[in-house]
Amino acid sequence: MRPLTETETQALFAKLANYTGNSLKNLIAPLDDSPNGDRYVFRIQNSRCYYVRLSLANLATSISRDKLLSLGTCLGKFTKTGKFRLHITALPILAEHARYKVWVKANGEMPFLYGGHIVKAHVGRWSEDCAEHQGVVVYSMNDTPLGFGVTARSTQEARRLDPTGITCFRQADCGEYLRDEDSLFATN
Amino acid sequence: MGVGRRMKKQGAPEPLDEAHFTNLKRKAGMSVAESRAESQQYTNSKKRRTNGGAEGKGKKNSAGTTSTKGKFTNSLPSQKSAPKKSKKAESVPLPMSDEDMEDDDSDVADLMGDEFDDLSGEEEDGGLGDDFLDSGSEVYDSDEDHRSKPMFSEDEDESDAEEKLTAANIAGLTRKLDEQMAEEAADAQAELEEAALQTNIAGDRPHILDDDSEDEAGIKPKALLAPDLQLLRNRINNTVQALEDFSKRAQEGKSRAEHTAQLIKDICAYYGYSEYLAEKLFNLFPPKEAFAFFEANETARPVVIRTNTLRTHRRDLAQALINRGVTLEPVGKWSKIGLQIFESAVPLGATPEYLAGHYILQAASSFLPVMALAPQEHERVLDMAAAPGGKTTHIAALMKNTGCIFANDSNKSRAKGLIGNIHRLGAKNTIVCNYDAREFPKVIGGFDRVLLDAPCSGTGVIAKDPSVKTNKTEKDFLMLPHLQKQLLLAAIDSVDHNSKTGGYIVYSTCSVTVEENEGVVQYALSRRPNVKLVETGLVFGKEGFTAYMGKTFDKSLKLTRRYYPHAYNVDGFFVSKFKKFGPSPKGSGASNGVSKAMVDELEADKRPVPETEEDEKTDAFGGWDEEEDQAYMERARRAMLKKKGINPKANVGDMSKKPNGKEKKKSKSKDT
């Protein structure tokens, strides 16, 4: 377990900023005003990046590297080429700070959770003035976060789309907890 | 121990009878009358086919009688005196099995009443009318249904046939009537006898035990045949009753031990347990309760889900699931987050709510240890055997994601599901690690609370995993408690006794045997004078044993709680809660962490577990395998040389002699 290097931090923050926009800095703001107050930090363990309270990360130093399987919330993993891939486990953090959002209707929930992209007919509501290829968090109509992805069209273009046209490409959805449990977590 | 609630309400399960199968049919949407009528119809129509569509009253009646004869082969021999008795019984609705009575008591009574009115009227008149013929042609009281059915094409013929009625026919009819009444009377008699059984009025003592000769001779052919389940069940019932009221109901000349042995043998055959396990479980309860326990192990426990209070509230979750077509209700007053599922139109493990982490499928009994642990916010908690994460996430929810939870599991592949559940349910305060839990105070100590849901034989969850019935042997019941004792000591030593809010250890298993529960707790109490048992804070459950089969345990063991499937309809479970009030003794405490694990091992190893009997016999002192040792010593020497920076290959010749010399010395000294 170690803190991120400069390049890793850049790769990670670039990715996160795609979803959170300016509220990215809220992610690492101290939790309280006291001088040595607790704050959230990023840690790398076994090429997975974890978002975890500093106090918790300090406690986890007593676990040896090969025995430590997970701590706090897993955001995703660094690929061998140095890119960063967000996992579905990062959803609670993205949802909390998301800038652009898409709400899918009840009839679109299951197709999305089974790994499909979001077609226009299933969109119940979306954030206005959203650009093309912008990271968005996907919610159900009762505001439960279901996953995240990137828009296929800007909001204006999407208006002219026919109902079966794809408005948003899926990147991760909650169904992965069942489908990809084996590859999602580092336990080998 | 008292009788379980289920026993008080329902009594011992009834023997299987035909009514059971009619009930099954009724579940498929038919009334008793209908289903019976149907079966009757079926036999009748068969008869009709064989008769080749014969008309005429007499023939039809005779067909009826034969069918009834076929059905009631086991009617009692008191038939001849029966008709008089049955007249008395006329005013009373006929005895039926309890279940039938509950549902269609009233209409059955009505039907019966009608029929009997007709009968009595007819007999006084001495003539036979249409009504009577119709009603008389059926044994069952559901003839109304029959008539409405289009299958009875003969109904029209009857009016013609009735005119041709002769004296002979009348005679035949009356004979048939007598037989019917005799059967009814026999039924009534049987019912009375059964009632007598239940009220413990001594009647005929049933023949329970096999005769010895039959036993010995009959065992081989029997083993090859499938056991007669209904017969077995009856015998189990009888034996249980005999053991309950031994002086009156037992078979004469047979001891209680013989009865018990027979009962255990029957239970093995009926439910498929190994003899060893059946006896072990049987000894935990009085006979009647034991029977209920075995019976409860055959039925699945209700599906229960736990609301994830980190993400939602129970009311919202219930509403969302109801909208998806799930029938549910709160699991009980003791839990504010459990929902019991009765029926579900969708797979519960794949709803959007499940994937979003609003609930987890978790047995009701698994709530209990966490409720006993009662973790507080900002504490440091250790879960020693965490997978698959139901309890860990429950702890996280109770702590509102503050503080710190160490979730340990020794099995890496199971840890995958654990991490998945932790993330799905949104627990942010957990650290997942993969140690052997016995290493624990060495890794990190000073916890406020420790939960040890120990690996166990699973005798409480036989309903979930029936393989336990056969695959647990005597060795398992030595090995598992051994491991559990080590784990519990490690758990105790990991706790900080100075903790302001905590200092508690909860030990739980999903087993009901005494070795894995009271035995382990007693061991911990004797080994660690710095812990005591405290109230678990659970509102229900039976007290733990303070004495069992000649062993006496500490008085405080009655603070522990036991849960049984037949008593509470939850999995069999055991929960105990310790409070640590002082430092662990020197050499075993967290202060002396390094040597701790070793010391524990030594302590726990005082009762070594024999691998097999053969091993014990051949080398009682462990024995020396010179050749095997040689390899190890050689390897150690090379490693040592490498460490010192000497190439072990360089001077193989002279160095390899040394250990050999030592080896010889050793063996010599052993010989002398």
Side-chain angles (χ1 to χ4, degrees), chain B residues 317-527:
Chain B
L317 175 66
Q319 195 55 54
L321 288 178
I322 285 167
N323 289 342
R324 296 201 186 276
V326 180
T327 325
L328 43 75
E329 76 171 21
V331 71
K333 275 181 183 162
W334 52 274
S335 170
K336 284 187 176 160
I337 52 172
L339 285 169
Q340 184 174 341
I341 308 293
F342 295 105
E343 212 174 8
S344 174
V346 290
L348 275 173
T351 63
E353 281 76 23
Y354 176 84
L355 293 172
H358 290 189
Y359 64 89
I360 185 169
L361 290 159
Q362 193 179 7
S365 54
S366 297
F367 293 28
L368 303 168
V370 181
M371 289 165 68
L373 188 71
Q376 306 296 307
E377 289 175 39
H378 303 291
E379 282 186 335
R380 179 135 54 92
V381 179
L382 170 65
D383 187 351
M384 290 186 113
K391 297 186 191 72
T392 310
T393 49
H394 192 182
I395 295 172
L398 289 179
M399 290 166 68
K400 300 195 172 68
N401 254 338
T402 62
C404 175
I405 302 170
F406 280 77
N408 181 69
D409 201 276
S410 58
N411 186 338
K412 233 175 195 177
S413 58
R414 271 161 71 83
K416 225 167 243 179
L418 167 65
I419 300 173
N421 275 329
I422 284 173
H423 279 92
R424 186 170 61 80
L425 298 184
K428 296 176 184 172
N429 59 346
T430 47
I431 295 169
V432 182
C433 49
N434 177 224
Y435 284 100
D436 182 341
R438 285 171 288 186
E439 291 178 45
F440 237 88
K442 203 168 113 190
V443 178
I444 181 170
F447 289 95
D448 295 304
R449 284 161 209 266
V450 175
L451 173 63
L452 172 56
D453 186 35
C456 66
S457 61
T459 48
V461 288
I462 291 173
K464 215 187 278 175
D465 177 18
S467 68
V468 174
K469 284 177 185 177
T470 48
N471 68 8
K472 291 286 175 276
T473 60
E474 202 163 354
K475 198 176 153 194
D476 288 306
F477 287 96
L478 288 175
M479 299 287 272
L480 282 167
H482 182 71
L483 174 68
Q484 286 157 349
K485 284 168 187 172
Q486 289 176 321
L487 286 171
L488 183 52
L489 290 190
I492 290 171
D493 295 337
S494 303
V495 167
D496 173 20
H497 65 276
N498 275 328
S499 163
K500 276 174 191 147
T501 51
Y504 293 102
I505 302 105
V506 167
Y507 171 77
S508 66
T509 63
C510 57
S511 176
V512 291
T513 58
V514 173
E515 293 94 326
E516 294 177 82
N517 299 326
E518 280 85 352
V520 176
V521 170
Q522 175 68 28
Y523 176 83
L525 288 176
S526 66
R527 284 287 147 193

Side-chain angles (χ1 to χ4, degrees), chain B residues 249-260:
Chain B
R249 305 232 18 101
Q251 195 187 334
E252 275 166 69
K254 298 282 183 181
S255 70
R256 184 175 276 273
E258 279 168 305
H259 276 82
T260 312

Side-chain angles (χ1 to χ4, degrees), chain A residues 53 56 59-60 62-64 67-74 89 92 109-110 144 174 177-178 181-182 185 187, chain B residues 311 324 349-350 352 355-356 358 401 403-404 406 412 415-417 419-420 423-424 428 430-435 444:
Chain A
R53 277 203 318 272
L56 206 66
L59 276 173
S62 52
I63 310 287
S64 70
K67 300 285 189 191
L68 180 61
L69 299 181
S70 161
L71 70 155
T73 309
C74 178
T89 48
E109 277 179 19
M110 289 325 278
T144 312
C174 281
Y177 282 118
L178 294 185
E181 195 182 58
D182 288 336
F185 308 109
T187 55
Chain B
R311 288 271 163 89
R324 296 201 186 276
L355 293 172
H358 290 189
N401 254 338
C404 175
F406 280 77
K412 233 175 195 177
K416 225 167 243 179
I419 300 173
H423 279 92
R424 186 170 61 80
K428 296 176 184 172
T430 47
I431 295 169
V432 182
C433 49
N434 177 224
Y435 284 100
I444 181 170

Side-chain angles (χ1 to χ4, degrees), chain B residues 581-603:
Chain B
F581 53 83
S584 284
K586 208 182 175 191
S588 63
S591 54
N592 197 356
V594 185
S595 64
K596 157 80 214 22
M598 266 172 52
V599 172
D600 257 357
E601 216 120 300
L602 283 178
E603 278 183 348

